[in-house]
Every structure is written in structure tokens, then in C-alpha cells.
Amino acid sequence: QLQLVESGGGWVQPGGSLRLSCAVSGSTLDHYHICWFRQAPGTEREGVSCITLRTGDTLYAGPVKGRFRITADNAGASIGLQMILLKPEASGVYYCAATEKQLPSWELFSGDQYDYWGQGTQVTVSS
């Protein structure tokens, strides 16, 4: 059974930076996709960025390309999301999620495909 624990959320002014971390434990991780999702109040959960541990391939949602970077350290035991030049629309609860299904890139942001979720960490971008 995989366990995911997010940390690193907080408040930041527009234009600022935050780094989120997802500690992953409880299983062999080689075959997993791990993604960050965001959910703001009154909105649907949306995919932000994913990494495929076996290949190192990454995926980013259009609005965050060039400003967010996902990384995997320690054989996938820690997944980071570095966020710079943050905008107010980046606010929300960020969740780390994992699946062992082999998904094509167009399904990586489908939250229903993920079996394991963390509890979330709040990010607030405001002045």
C-alpha cells in the first residue's frame, strides 16, 4: 500500500515562489506515474504536473509551463514541485497522487485513474 504525504504549502505574494514536496512510501515505485493536482474552492480538480518514474518523462498543464518544475529524488521517494512566478489563480489545495497503471500522456491528468492520494497542502497566492 502506497502512502503519500504532501508538505510545503503556504501563503505567498503574486510573483513569489514555493516548493511542494510529496513523501512517498510503502511500495516499490519504479512503475508509477506520480502527479500533482490542484483544487480551488468551487472548481473541479485539475492536473498540474506529472512525472513517470521509470522514464523520467514529465507533463505540465499549459498555464504552468515554464514556471513549474516537477522532480523525483531518491528513486521516487520524494516528488517535488518547484513553483515560481506564482499567480493568484494558482491558489488551491495541491494533492499528490500515484498510479501503477501505464497511462498514455492524454490520460495522465485524469484523476479517476489514480489509486493513491495524499491529504493535500494549501497554497494561497494573494497580496
Side-chain angles (χ1 to χ4, degrees):
Q1 190 78 0
L2 203 62
Q3 292 87 42
L4 308 172
V5 179
E6 303 94 336
S7 61
W11 172 82
V12 64
Q13 291 186 333
S17 301
L18 277 177
R19 178 179 170 81
L20 306 183
S21 293
C22 175
V24 185
S25 62
S27 181
T28 301
L29 302 172
D30 290 351
H31 304 283
Y32 284 91
H33 303 288
I34 299 187
C35 291
W36 288 95
F37 290 83
R38 174 176 64 221
Q39 187 163 25
T43 69
E44 292 189 357
R45 180 181 57 200
E46 58 183 350
V48 176
S49 182
C50 298
I51 188 166
T52 299
L53 294 182
R54 179 184 288 179
T55 63
D57 290 343
T58 58
L59 178 70
Y60 297 92
V64 309
K65 280 183 181 177
R67 297 186 297 112
F68 288 18
R69 181 168 180 254
I70 189 170
T71 56
D73 299 326
N74 299 323
S78 178
I79 307 299
L81 185 67
Q82 180 68 48
M83 307 184 292
I84 66 171
L85 300 175
L86 282 162
K87 302 176 181 180
E89 51 264 41
S91 298
V93 179
Y94 283 70
Y95 297 92
C96 180
T99 180
E100 58 184 336
K101 304 182 186 77
Q102 294 199 20
L103 300 174
S105 59
W106 58 88
E107 288 197 60
L108 287 175
F109 284 159
S110 298
D112 292 345
Q113 299 286 358
Y114 290 79
D115 302 307
Y116 305 100
W117 291 83
Q119 82 289 348
T121 186
Q122 176 71 46
V123 171
T124 303
V125 185
S126 73
S127 53

